[in-house]
Amino acid sequence: MSISRTVISDGEIARQERFMEEAAELIASRESPAYALVDTYGCQQNEADSEKLRGMLVRMGYTLTRDAAEADVIVINTCAVREHAEQRVLGNVGALTHTKKAKPDQIICLCGCMMQQAGMAEKIKASYRHVSLVFGPHVLWRFPEYLLKLLRDGGRIFATDASDGVIAEGLPSVRDSAVKAWLPIMYGCNNFCSYCIVPHVRGRERSRAPGDVLAEARRLVEAGYKDLTLLGQNVNSYGKGLPETVDFSDLLERINAIPGDFLIRFMTSHPRDAGEKLFSTMARCEKCARHIHLPFQSGSDRVLSAMNRHYTREDYLALVRMARQYMPDLVLTSDVIVGFPGETEEEFEDTLSLVSEVGFDALFTFIFSPRVGTPAASMPDPFTREEKQRRFDRLVALQNAVSEKRHAAYVGSVQRVLVDGREGEYLTSRTSGGRLVRLRGGDKLIGTFRSVEITGSNTWALYGELREED
Ligand code: SAM
Ligand code: SF4
Ligand code: F3S
């Protein structure tokens, strides 16, 4: 697979900055403040993109809001990974006809993976006439230009031309948290798992230059962020196609060398490209969180081959053994698909037995959703939705029992946690392995590492008490 790496020039980004300034002048000349809402579906990559959209909107003079009725601009950043996500988006976009009616100048924008799918822009053009702007992930950096044109001239813009994808540096960003930050290190995917739409909508795999990643990591640490999550669909293939020879483990090592007390997380790792160098680097780097999210997708060799995953059940189990040799306290989470076309009862039981054998701390379970344009969507699929749902329920019940047991084993131990927010009466915090620990305390603890004694647990969370007086 060829490596394409188109970096948007500094001149183009400077042009977008001028558009942001012009929009800000226009907004400032209005009598009342202008509000913008960004709503996000899908994965962390989309969350990171939405932070950039918010950054651009704030530069253009908008105040951020969560209220669709108040918003002058609404941006919906969509996901195409499963049908359910798409239906939620279309339902919510349909409901915006009411806000548009009450506020005819409202500008409704749709972007993200779903918009890059074949035929979707045409569908929006014909059936969702209250939507003014549609753009795909490859032109997110041109958002200021599109919005300014709509502010000045009105009309509708559709920008979803096919592209292998680009890298755009230097866009502003408004981050959701002051403690945890997303840090994309690469974009796109070349794996073409037979069920997955992501490579079709996000373009070819391409890595940011290590200098740009390191500079951003350093800025985040200096700004007080304590938890950096490096993002990519397949972080283990970081570095391919870059002018300098550098791989993901080298990048981890360089980020680990940045002075300061912070954690480095990453997702996602493809089992095909994970190995000894990664695990030994993680074990050696004291800032690397003791967590790996390693999707296995199926426990059956036949299904794995039909999924185009390029590893066997035994390869996966051997990888887990190796990872645990290097890091006995490693927290392991994974993704799995139930009901891949033609998956038999026996093949599903191979998935159940893999889940029992590995003992994941948590599992993200999905029922197969056919995605138009992917090979799996046209594979024969004799099993009914009800049969798949029954299997799904069995898998979830098994994993819940495993998670409950693994969480119970924490009770009585002392964990170093990062306090990251509040949910009602509890502060929320995370162990190095990413386990949620709820505890009582004041908001001033948010953003600090603390020692906590684990006093209780259930399937989804741990409960703890601060050890030191605060
Ligand atoms: N790049 C990551 C990887 O390979 O592990 C994950 C990307 S995808 C956004 C997240 C998860 O969604 C996948 O691991 C897979 O389990 C699930 N998924 C992707 N396509 C799916 C489909 N068509 N139906 C059901 N689940 C799907
Ligand atoms: Fe999709 Fe596979 Fe790429 Fe993950 S590695 S984004 S599942 S094609
Ligand atoms: Fe969805 Fe796109 Fe992420 S399809 S899961 S938002 S890469």
Side-chain angles (χ1 to χ4, degrees):
M1 178 87 48
S2 69
I3 306 275
S4 89
R5 201 172 171 280
T6 307
V7 181
I8 304 301
S9 69
D10 291 348
E12 275 293 349
I13 298 293
R15 226 176 112 243
Q16 297 302 318
E17 272 169 11
R18 284 197 294 279
F19 293 134
M20 287 188 256
E21 278 164 28
E22 285 173 42
E25 281 166 25
L26 210 69
I27 300 292
S29 68
R30 292 183 174 185
E31 274 163 20
S32 50
Y35 293 95
L37 177 151
V38 179
D39 196 9
T40 314
Y41 295 77
C43 65
Q44 293 83 357
Q45 186 59 61
N46 256 19
E47 296 286 348
D49 283 348
S50 285
E51 292 183 342
K52 295 205 172 79
L53 290 164
R54 291 196 189 95
M56 293 189 262
L57 284 161
V58 166
R59 279 273 183 89
M60 287 186 269
Y62 287 92
T63 302
L64 298 175
T65 177
R66 290 176 191 277
D67 179 2
E70 176 184 54
D72 297 278
V73 173
I74 296 179
V75 186
I76 302 190
N77 194 4
T78 64
C79 169
V81 80
R82 282 171 292 274
E83 198 184 353
H84 178 66
E86 281 191 7
Q87 281 167 349
R88 273 175 57 217
V89 167
L90 292 178
N92 289 349
V93 174
L96 291 177
T97 46
H98 303 297
T99 60
K100 176 86 178 173
K101 203 174 243 172
K103 207 174 164 84
D105 288 339
Q106 189 172 58
I107 297 177
I108 299 173
C109 317
L110 296 183
C111 63
C113 296
M114 199 175 144
M115 295 306 117
Q116 200 62 40
Q117 276 181 295
M120 186 55 73
E122 290 71 21
K123 179 173 175 170
I124 302 292
K125 197 181 260 180
S127 309
Y128 295 80
R129 300 204 56 83
H130 56 302
V131 174
S132 304
L133 170 58
V134 170
F135 61 104
H138 310 306
V139 287
L140 179 125
W141 59 278
R142 290 182 71 176
F143 177 55
E145 179 178 348
Y146 300 140
L147 186 56
L148 180 63
K149 183 155 175 35
L150 291 176
L151 286 170
R152 283 192 173 144
D153 308 333
R156 301 177 88 194
I157 297 175
F158 292 82
T160 56
D161 286 352
S163 161
D164 279 347
V166 300
I167 294 177
E169 296 290 350
L171 297 174
S173 175
V174 169
R175 294 183 188 266
D176 277 348
S177 159
V179 181
K180 302 197 283 192
W182 307 123
L183 178 40
I185 61 167
M186 58 197 299
Y187 306 100
C189 183
N190 283 357
N191 283 317
F192 288 95
C193 300
S194 64
Y195 50 82
C196 185
I197 195 72
V198 172
H200 304 266
V201 292
R202 283 270 173 184
R204 299 289 59 75
E205 192 173 275
R206 51 213 186 269
S207 297
R208 291 178 72 192
D212 290 329
V213 175
L214 279 164
E216 187 170 347
R218 235 176 255 119
R219 280 197 301 275
L220 289 166
V221 172
E222 280 163 13
Y225 286 90
K226 299 283 187 249
D227 183 317
L228 312 185
T229 302
L230 314 183
L231 294 181
Q233 292 302 341
N234 179 18
V235 291
N236 304 118
S237 58
Y238 174 80
K240 289 180 188 160
L242 282 171
E244 81 177 87
T245 308
V246 55
D247 68 13
F248 182 58
S249 300
D250 302 332
L251 186 72
L252 278 181
E253 202 123 28
R254 292 191 206 173
I255 298 176
N256 189 67
I258 296 173
D261 191 8
F262 64 95
L263 279 170
I264 308 166
R265 303 185 184 279
F266 54 86
M267 67 189 309
T268 297
S269 295
H270 193 299
R272 176 169 72 167
D273 306 304
E276 188 147 21
K277 186 174 179 192
L278 172 67
F279 302 140
S280 67
T281 306
M282 285 176 73
R284 201 172 47 249
C285 291
E286 76 288 356
K287 290 168 192 162
C288 267
R290 287 294 176 262
H291 174 208
I292 189 159
H293 183 68
L294 198 61
F296 73 96
Q297 312 297 1
S298 166
S300 148
D301 284 345
R302 191 206 61 86
V303 174
L304 284 171
S305 166
M307 286 177 162
N308 195 31
R309 290 290 288 182
H310 295 280
Y311 55 85
T312 62
R313 172 193 179 93
E314 188 41 43
D315 293 338
Y316 186 85
L317 291 171
L319 211 53
V320 168
R321 282 194 294 274
M322 190 199 285
R324 284 179 167 159
Q325 259 160 21
Y326 277 98
M327 293 164 284
D329 56 345
L330 185 69
V331 166
L332 203 66
T333 58
S334 196
D335 292 348
V336 53
I337 296 177
V338 174
F340 185 80
E343 181 192 62
T344 63
E345 175 63 24
E346 212 173 34
E347 288 164 344
F348 169 66
E349 281 171 13
D350 288 339
T351 290
L352 289 180
S353 72
L354 187 144
V355 168
S356 300
E357 204 168 330
V358 172
F360 294 104
D361 294 81
L363 199 55
F364 296 86
T365 41
F366 307 105
I367 292 182
F368 170 74
S369 172
R371 305 286 64 211
V372 175
T374 64
S378 46
M379 291 178 186
D381 193 3
F383 294 94
T384 63
R385 173 81 202 186
E386 289 68 33
E387 279 165 312
K388 293 182 182 192
Q389 185 66 48
R390 276 198 294 276
R391 287 182 190 171
F392 179 86
D393 294 344
R394 280 164 68 196
L395 177 60
V396 170
L398 169 65
Q399 180 56 42
N400 283 352
V402 176
S403 294
E404 191 175 351
K405 203 163 148 206
R406 292 189 74 84
H407 279 169
Y410 282 85
V411 175
S413 71
V414 173
Q415 301 285 326
R416 184 173 190 254
V417 298
L418 172 63
V419 185
D420 56 20
R422 171 174 295 285
E423 271 172 22
E425 59 182 307
Y426 289 108
L427 288 173
T428 56
S429 69
R430 296 267 168 187
T431 64
S432 166
R435 301 296 76 211
L436 170 64
V437 184
R438 297 205 164 95
L439 47 124
R440 288 181 202 282
D443 282 356
K444 67 174 194 272
L445 299 183
I446 295 171
T448 64
F449 287 99
R450 296 283 151 172
S451 275
V452 167
E453 183 174 341
I454 305 301
T455 53
S457 72
N458 60 28
T459 306
W460 300 278
L462 305 172
Y463 291 81
E465 281 171 18
L466 288 165
R467 292 219 63 211
E468 64 269 69
E469 283 298 305
D470 283 289

